[in-house]
Amino acid sequence: MKILLVILAFFLQPVLWIGVIRAYLNGRTRMKRARSQFNTAVYEKHYEFRHFWVSLLVLGIIISLISVLVGATLPLDWVVIYEALAGLSLILIPSIVIPVLIMIVPSLMMVLMNYHSSTIASQNYVLIAGLIILALGMFIGFNGGRYNVPRIFRNERNNRIAGYPFKELSVFPMLVMIPGNIMRHVISFYPTFMVDGHRVAFLLVPIMIGLRLTVFKHQPRKVFRKLGNHLMVIGILGMLLAVASYKWPILVMISLPVLLLLSWFALYRAKRSDLKHGDWFSEVINGVRIVGIEPGTPAAKMNLHVGDVILNVNHKAVHDEDSFYEALQDQPTYCRLRVINTNHRIILTNTAIYSGTPHEIGVVLFRTSNL
């Protein structure tokens, strides 16, 4: 019964349901924009919604186990301030800075107010920061760039270019301990437990993570996996700093802003690396640029990637979307492509296509009617 009350308390917290609504709306907006620019949603299913719930379950279990094993204890005031900031940020636009920032702010407030006791050491705030950054890195590394839905932009030369936005979030439960007497004072019937001679209450705190980042010049999956790895390293560093701060308490005040700056720098480095190197995925004169590949279609089996340029189809040169599909009509059940990939190497690939429906080959190209 006590465990059920702890779980129920998590599902009653508004941050969770604001996050659910936000994830659903992100998917709706993505599909609506794709249909207007390419006449297809590219990915019909709400993968943002699926990633939300999978991450909630998986990250909730992993981070909660670590939190309980190290005995992370937080004051109820931290939870209240954090949830208020998390709810506000979910109403606005999530980015990498906001999830880390809203976790750092209440922690710094607690440290500055010297808010600790025999059951709440200030080192806990650094530990929690490291755990949340670790979870953020895992979330981005696993989900980022897995589904590349293009969006058309204009660069500084007013050329149309394809960008690949990642705009996802999740809310996962992190199990922490709250001083039992404080929790009982607020909610008299809330269950408490004896741990190492102290009465504590276990609380599943809804932790918000998310990122908004658009990749323009690299394969998105590589960019997000690298960014996720960097954040996981920063998260592990945070936990090591928490351990070191028991010997050097001054590290608590130093570690929190350092972790925030390192997280921001990881994002800045990822964006800068993408924009400073490589070519825009723009329209080309000779051939047609692939800006997306629909899953479960013939194109998905042809070793094609976003950014590749199709030079000819069925031995016919192509220069726009219309000429591409006209060439497909010559052999409506078979497709042979000559492609130059993003490494500037020419490859040949072929596949059978759906009889009488060449438009279902699954290649997403620039449309004449795009912005």
Side-chain angles (χ1 to χ4, degrees), residues 27 29 56-58 86 150 155 210 272-273 283 332 339 352 371:
T29 300
L56 180 148
L57 178 63
V58 175
N155 64 10
R272 185 177 182 277
S273 175
E283 292 180 289
V339 178
L371 296 176

mmCIF file of all heavy atoms in Angstrom, residues 27 29 56-58 86 150 155 210 272-273 283 332 339 352 371:
data_model
loop_
_atom_site.group_PDB
_atom_site.id
_atom_site.type_symbol
_atom_site.label_atom_id
_atom_site.label_comp_id
_atom_site.label_asym_id
_atom_site.label_seq_id
_atom_site.Cartn_x
_atom_site.Cartn_y
_atom_site.Cartn_z
ATOM 1 N N GLY A 27 4.657 16.483 -31.777
ATOM 2 C CA GLY A 27 4.463 15.555 -32.883
ATOM 3 C C GLY A 27 3.451 16.072 -33.892
ATOM 4 O O GLY A 27 3.659 15.971 -35.111
ATOM 5 N N THR A 29 2.696 19.219 -34.517
ATOM 6 C CA THR A 29 3.291 20.339 -35.242
ATOM 7 C C THR A 29 4.271 19.845 -36.292
ATOM 8 O O THR A 29 4.308 20.348 -37.424
ATOM 9 C CB THR A 29 4.019 21.274 -34.258
ATOM 10 O OG1 THR A 29 3.083 21.763 -33.302
ATOM 11 C CG2 THR A 29 4.640 22.455 -34.984
ATOM 12 N N LEU A 56 10.591 7.707 -20.013
ATOM 13 C CA LEU A 56 10.048 7.809 -18.653
ATOM 14 C C LEU A 56 10.302 6.518 -17.886
ATOM 15 O O LEU A 56 10.754 6.541 -16.737
ATOM 16 C CB LEU A 56 8.554 8.132 -18.720
ATOM 17 C CG LEU A 56 7.795 8.277 -17.392
ATOM 18 C CD1 LEU A 56 6.663 9.303 -17.549
ATOM 19 C CD2 LEU A 56 7.186 6.950 -16.923
ATOM 20 N N LEU A 57 10.025 5.401 -18.530
ATOM 21 C CA LEU A 57 10.170 4.112 -17.854
ATOM 22 C C LEU A 57 11.636 3.736 -17.673
ATOM 23 O O LEU A 57 12.078 3.427 -16.552
ATOM 24 C CB LEU A 57 9.443 3.032 -18.659
ATOM 25 C CG LEU A 57 9.543 1.599 -18.117
ATOM 26 C CD1 LEU A 57 8.892 1.504 -16.743
ATOM 27 C CD2 LEU A 57 8.878 0.621 -19.083
ATOM 28 N N VAL A 58 12.414 3.780 -18.765
ATOM 29 C CA VAL A 58 13.799 3.300 -18.719
ATOM 30 C C VAL A 58 14.671 4.207 -17.857
ATOM 31 O O VAL A 58 15.391 3.743 -16.954
ATOM 32 C CB VAL A 58 14.380 3.196 -20.148
ATOM 33 C CG1 VAL A 58 15.854 2.827 -20.096
ATOM 34 C CG2 VAL A 58 13.598 2.172 -20.962
ATOM 35 N N ALA A 86 10.121 23.708 -13.687
ATOM 36 C CA ALA A 86 9.960 22.716 -14.753
ATOM 37 C C ALA A 86 8.632 22.899 -15.475
ATOM 38 O O ALA A 86 8.558 22.836 -16.704
ATOM 39 C CB ALA A 86 10.066 21.308 -14.178
ATOM 40 N N PRO A 150 12.830 16.414 -42.467
ATOM 41 C CA PRO A 150 13.424 17.686 -42.890
ATOM 42 C C PRO A 150 12.478 18.860 -42.729
ATOM 43 O O PRO A 150 11.258 18.705 -42.685
ATOM 44 C CB PRO A 150 13.723 17.438 -44.377
ATOM 45 C CG PRO A 150 12.688 16.439 -44.794
ATOM 46 C CD PRO A 150 12.474 15.556 -43.597
ATOM 47 N N ASN A 155 19.067 30.094 -46.223
ATOM 48 C CA ASN A 155 20.338 30.503 -45.628
ATOM 49 C C ASN A 155 20.634 31.962 -45.929
ATOM 50 O O ASN A 155 19.789 32.674 -46.486
ATOM 51 C CB ASN A 155 21.476 29.586 -46.090
ATOM 52 C CG ASN A 155 21.725 29.689 -47.596
ATOM 53 O OD1 ASN A 155 21.201 30.550 -48.279
ATOM 54 N ND2 ASN A 155 22.535 28.772 -48.115
ATOM 55 N N GLY A 210 14.999 17.594 -22.140
ATOM 56 C CA GLY A 210 14.602 17.864 -23.517
ATOM 57 C C GLY A 210 15.658 18.661 -24.250
ATOM 58 O O GLY A 210 16.609 19.168 -23.660
ATOM 59 N N ARG A 272 28.159 24.626 -33.351
ATOM 60 C CA ARG A 272 29.261 25.245 -34.089
ATOM 61 C C ARG A 272 29.927 24.241 -35.029
ATOM 62 O O ARG A 272 30.251 24.558 -36.174
ATOM 63 C CB ARG A 272 30.291 25.811 -33.117
ATOM 64 C CG ARG A 272 31.426 26.581 -33.788
ATOM 65 C CD ARG A 272 32.364 27.170 -32.750
ATOM 66 N NE ARG A 272 33.427 27.946 -33.371
ATOM 67 C CZ ARG A 272 34.549 27.439 -33.868
ATOM 68 N NH1 ARG A 272 34.742 26.135 -33.818
ATOM 69 N NH2 ARG A 272 35.465 28.223 -34.410
ATOM 70 N N SER A 273 30.119 23.025 -34.551
ATOM 71 C CA SER A 273 30.740 21.990 -35.372
ATOM 72 C C SER A 273 29.899 21.706 -36.610
ATOM 73 O O SER A 273 30.431 21.489 -37.705
ATOM 74 C CB SER A 273 30.920 20.710 -34.556
ATOM 75 O OG SER A 273 31.419 19.665 -35.354
ATOM 76 N N GLU A 283 19.468 22.837 -52.576
ATOM 77 C CA GLU A 283 19.113 22.414 -53.923
ATOM 78 C C GLU A 283 20.356 22.417 -54.810
ATOM 79 O O GLU A 283 21.285 23.191 -54.590
ATOM 80 C CB GLU A 283 18.058 23.344 -54.510
ATOM 81 C CG GLU A 283 16.702 23.243 -53.831
ATOM 82 C CD GLU A 283 15.700 24.193 -54.447
ATOM 83 O OE1 GLU A 283 15.848 25.413 -54.244
ATOM 84 O OE2 GLU A 283 14.770 23.720 -55.131
ATOM 85 N N PRO A 332 8.013 1.448 -64.270
ATOM 86 C CA PRO A 332 7.227 1.661 -63.049
ATOM 87 C C PRO A 332 7.353 0.592 -61.974
ATOM 88 O O PRO A 332 6.818 0.756 -60.886
ATOM 89 C CB PRO A 332 5.787 1.740 -63.572
ATOM 90 C CG PRO A 332 5.808 0.997 -64.863
ATOM 91 C CD PRO A 332 7.156 1.242 -65.447
ATOM 92 N N VAL A 339 23.944 7.875 -57.847
ATOM 93 C CA VAL A 339 23.907 8.835 -56.745
ATOM 94 C C VAL A 339 25.315 9.267 -56.368
ATOM 95 O O VAL A 339 26.247 8.447 -56.390
ATOM 96 C CB VAL A 339 23.205 8.204 -55.509
ATOM 97 C CG1 VAL A 339 23.190 9.170 -54.339
ATOM 98 C CG2 VAL A 339 21.798 7.761 -55.865
ATOM 99 N N ALA A 352 13.243 -2.870 -56.615
ATOM 100 C CA ALA A 352 11.900 -2.955 -57.190
ATOM 101 C C ALA A 352 11.027 -1.921 -56.489
ATOM 102 O O ALA A 352 11.239 -1.591 -55.321
ATOM 103 C CB ALA A 352 11.334 -4.360 -56.999
ATOM 104 N N LEU A 371 8.799 26.825 -49.578
ATOM 105 C CA LEU A 371 9.078 28.228 -49.287
ATOM 106 C C LEU A 371 10.416 28.650 -49.877
ATOM 107 O O LEU A 371 11.339 27.887 -49.907
ATOM 108 C CB LEU A 371 9.081 28.431 -47.766
ATOM 109 C CG LEU A 371 7.743 28.175 -47.071
ATOM 110 C CD1 LEU A 371 7.921 28.327 -45.562
ATOM 111 C CD2 LEU A 371 6.661 29.100 -47.565
#
